[in-house]
Amino acid sequence: MKRIIFIILLFPLVGFLAFAQGSTESAEDDGVYLVGISKLVSHPALDAIEEGIKDYLDTLDYKFEYDVQNANGEITAATQIAQVFENENTDINIAIATPTAQAIANVIDDTPLIFSSVTDPVAAGLVGKGIENIAGVSDMVPVSAHLSLIREVLPDVKSIGMVYTSGEANGIVLMETMKKEVEESGLEFISASVSNSSEVRTAAESIIDRVDAMYVATDNTVVSAITALSDVCMKHSVPLFSADTTSSVNADVLLSGGFDYYQSGILTAKIVERYLNGESLEDIGTLYLDQDSLEIYLNLDVADRLGLEINEDLVNRAKSINYGDGYVIQ
């Protein structure tokens, strides 16, 4: 019976494992480093990280071969991908987002792991005493700055809503951080949790009538369904604010303030370079994106449809503005 269950569980990965069985050579054998890249889901921010990683690594004198896998938002799939990487004898593993990093750390303990887009590496159990083979980049967002932007646009705001993923450590951390900031500001915080992206629309509808503004953090599951979230917000004339600019350009987000995730990918790849040049991952530790490099994307077309006036100072501070025909870099 156990054998039957094992075969069933591995059936979705037959193609992956066939490849893995043929990839047992290490970089010491052929001079090519096999890099396993696992990302939680495909959305503009995580895709930009992947692109930045590969673009930078391909400029180095080292040779790389990539196995890029997408968990499609499923934690169990992230674990299966980690098992594939173990069977492939990857030389370096890169995890894009918290759950994929945790999955690889739990399955593989003798291969270097470099994470990217992990909000709180300590809370995720990726860094700390006794952990020597892991380093990476944190994208902890400046939640306080985001709240200030919301209040700048909506000075009379009284309640802020947020949809978050209950199964993502970063989603929980960001929800709790925003909740604390909002309540300390004397405002009401109303949240709804989801377990997967298909639940985002329903979760948003469950709280939309009780909030003056909606906020989405760098919660990968929610961001992957941001158009569903923005549809609900526009239908009820509630402005949506986001911590991720890359996913906001194709949704009705009023204002987003985020990092350049392509540059985050480059920073992640630089950790790989430093490791290959002899630095220990323990010494490298966690690198943080520059909190002062927050980029503001402003959708004046959405503002018009919501009947909102945006002050000139904020317009001048925006890096990119959508007047109705797509975003234009200022």
Side-chain angles (χ1 to χ4, degrees):
M1 183 66 177
K2 290 183 179 178
R3 182 184 177 125
I4 294 173
I5 294 173
F6 180 74
I7 292 173
I8 292 173
L9 288 174
L10 287 185
F11 181 75
L13 294 175
V14 169
F16 295 152
L17 292 175
F19 175 79
Q21 290 171 353
S23 302
T24 57
E25 285 188 319
S26 70
E28 294 179 359
D29 299 320
D30 62 4
V32 179
Y33 289 92
L34 177 58
V35 179
I37 301 178
S38 176
K39 61 182 178 183
L40 180 63
V41 69
S42 180
H43 66 66
L46 301 193
D47 295 345
I49 291 173
E50 177 195 333
E51 184 181 2
I53 290 170
K54 291 192 289 188
D55 283 354
Y56 187 83
L57 291 182
D58 288 343
T59 68
L60 304 180
D61 292 333
Y62 302 99
K63 295 181 180 179
F64 300 98
E65 179 181 337
Y66 306 103
D67 181 11
V68 181
Q69 301 292 344
N70 181 358
N72 292 312
E74 299 293 336
I75 305 302
T76 54
T79 300
Q80 291 172 335
I81 289 168
Q83 291 167 343
V84 169
F85 288 170
E86 183 176 39
N87 291 333
E88 288 182 324
N89 292 325
T90 49
D91 298 299
I92 297 170
N93 292 319
I94 299 176
I96 304 175
T98 303
T100 52
Q102 291 174 315
I104 292 175
N106 289 335
V107 172
I108 307 171
D109 58 10
D110 58 353
T111 301
L113 170 59
I114 297 166
F115 58 80
S116 188
S117 192
V118 170
T119 300
D120 190 338
V122 176
L126 297 171
V127 299
K129 186 176 181 181
I131 300 177
E132 302 176 353
N133 215 25
I134 303 176
V137 178
S138 170
D139 67 339
M140 182 63 187
V141 299
V143 173
S144 178
H146 286 157
L147 180 57
S148 295
L149 285 169
I150 294 173
R151 302 191 76 175
E152 182 176 353
V153 176
L154 303 172
D156 297 326
V157 65
K158 293 182 174 59
S159 58
I160 295 175
M162 184 173 178
V163 177
Y164 72 98
T165 308
S166 58
E168 278 193 51
N170 60 309
I172 295 172
V173 167
L174 290 167
M175 181 276 293
E176 292 177 343
T177 304
M178 178 54 96
K179 182 177 187 292
K180 182 174 181 290
E181 292 283 345
V182 169
E183 293 181 345
E184 287 182 351
S185 298
L187 306 178
E188 183 180 10
F189 182 81
I190 300 171
S191 64
S193 65
V194 300
S195 58
N196 58 66
S197 59
S198 66
E199 299 173 356
V200 169
R201 183 182 297 275
T202 301
E205 290 172 340
S206 72
I207 63 173
I208 196 68
D209 290 331
R210 294 181 285 151
V211 303
D212 299 321
M214 188 76 79
Y215 173 74
V216 57
T218 51
D219 182 314
N220 296 292
T221 299
V222 180
V223 167
S224 68
I226 195 167
T227 53
L229 180 59
S230 68
D231 286 348
V232 173
C233 289
M234 290 303 293
K235 181 180 177 180
H236 292 81
S237 298
V238 173
L240 174 60
F241 297 81
S242 175
D244 174 38
T245 57
T246 51
S247 64
S248 298
V249 297
N250 295 316
D252 287 326
V253 175
L254 174 63
L255 183 149
S256 56
F259 300 116
D260 183 336
Y261 278 94
Y262 180 82
Q263 294 300 321
S264 176
I266 289 177
L267 185 59
T268 304
K270 287 182 177 180
I271 295 178
V272 176
E273 179 184 28
R274 290 169 63 180
Y275 167 75
L276 293 177
N277 286 343
E279 286 190 62
S280 72
L281 294 181
E282 185 179 18
D283 288 342
I284 295 172
T286 303
L287 306 184
Y288 292 86
L289 298 174
D290 184 1
Q291 299 278 314
D292 295 328
S293 64
L294 194 68
E295 298 178 340
I296 296 175
Y297 278 46
L298 185 60
N299 194 322
L300 293 181
D301 177 55
V302 168
D304 287 341
R305 284 186 278 153
L306 291 173
L308 295 173
E309 291 188 13
I310 307 299
N311 68 68
E312 186 177 351
D313 178 62
L314 182 55
V315 172
N316 291 334
R317 280 151 48 204
K319 176 182 179 180
S320 187
I321 297 178
N322 186 345
Y323 295 94
D325 296 320
Y327 279 88
V328 177
I329 302 295
Q330 294 202 118

